[in-house]
Amino acid sequence: MMRSADGAHPARIAVLAYPGVNELDLFGAYAVLAKAASVAPGELEVLLAGPVPHLSTSGGVPIGVAADLRYFTAADAVVIPGGRGAADAALDEELLAAVRDASAAGTPVYGVCSGALLIAAAGAARGRTIAVHHAKRGAIAPGSVGVVAAGLVRDGRLCTVGGDHRTSVKSVDLAFQLIDDLVPHLVATVSEGMEIVPGRIARPELRGSP
């Protein structure tokens, strides 16, 4: 059974939700991760966490979150979706501090599309390779990242997806990668149950940084 590093609780995954988050980035990842949690009770806990208890997505869908940003300190992995609100979220110092602290503590960080803007703004991508939506490359501040790439890429504990065109969904592929990283024995079960085969895998040439 996969549990957190201290073995005292299920592996905890925080999926960030903020005003203006993209629905597909958010729920594509959350649906896959929640499915994994449902087929392995006690192994995974997946919660939406954010800076405000109630918010609207980029398409105007009202949602509530289950936890505030303090949940990041307890998480064993953090997912940062993109969206129209990413640029504004990247100015939220409390939110950035939560991402920064999680990364500094060694928590794996997973970013979808323009979620890379938040990761970069938090200083969690300095010197690292990061993927971002092709139209958002210019929004990343110079010096805040190492290399901007495309696809599903990993650089140590940072794994991001964006900047390419595939028939598969970026957030879904990233969530399957997270499951493969944390609880690999659940990948086949989740894939079969959801009738989904991920279309991207992390590019191996970008692995290996601590």
Side-chain angles (χ1 to χ4, degrees):
M1 180 178 291
M2 173 66 197
R3 291 185 182 272
S4 63
D6 62 15
H9 56 74
R12 296 166 172 168
I13 303 173
V15 181
L16 175 65
Y18 54 86
V21 68
N22 179 272
E23 295 89 350
L24 190 57
D25 284 7
L26 177 69
F27 291 117
Y30 182 83
V32 174
L33 296 169
K35 179 67 173 180
S38 74
V39 300
E43 290 194 58
L44 286 180
E45 175 183 277
V46 184
L47 293 181
L48 292 182
V52 292
H54 302 282
L55 58 96
S56 292
T57 65
S58 61
V61 178
I63 62 172
V65 302
D68 61 27
L69 294 173
R70 288 174 294 182
Y71 187 69
F72 277 32
T73 63
D76 299 292
V78 173
V79 179
I80 313 293
R84 293 179 183 173
D88 287 339
L91 301 175
D92 184 330
E93 288 301 326
E94 183 181 6
L95 195 162
L96 296 182
V99 176
R100 184 183 306 115
D101 291 347
S103 177
T107 303
V109 175
Y110 295 78
V112 186
C113 203
S114 55
L117 300 181
L118 281 75
I119 297 170
R126 285 195 179 92
R128 296 189 180 274
T129 298
I130 193 168
V132 66
H133 189 282
H134 71 278
K136 301 297 183 181
R137 287 183 169 226
I140 295 180
S144 63
V145 304
V147 177
V148 178
L152 177 57
V153 301
R154 179 199 300 288
D155 191 335
R157 294 181 299 273
L158 177 62
C159 188
T160 51
V161 63
D164 65 346
H165 293 78
R166 296 286 186 92
T167 55
S168 58
V169 177
K170 289 176 285 191
S171 56
V172 168
D173 291 347
L174 187 81
F176 270 104
Q177 183 64 57
L178 195 163
I179 294 171
D180 190 46
D181 292 341
L182 277 185
V183 279
H185 62 283
L186 295 181
V187 171
T189 302
V190 174
S191 178
E192 181 178 356
M194 299 187 78
E195 296 186 333
I196 295 174
V197 176
R200 299 172 179 86
I201 59 172
R203 288 166 51 182
E205 67 270 22
L206 296 176
R207 300 187 186 200
S209 299

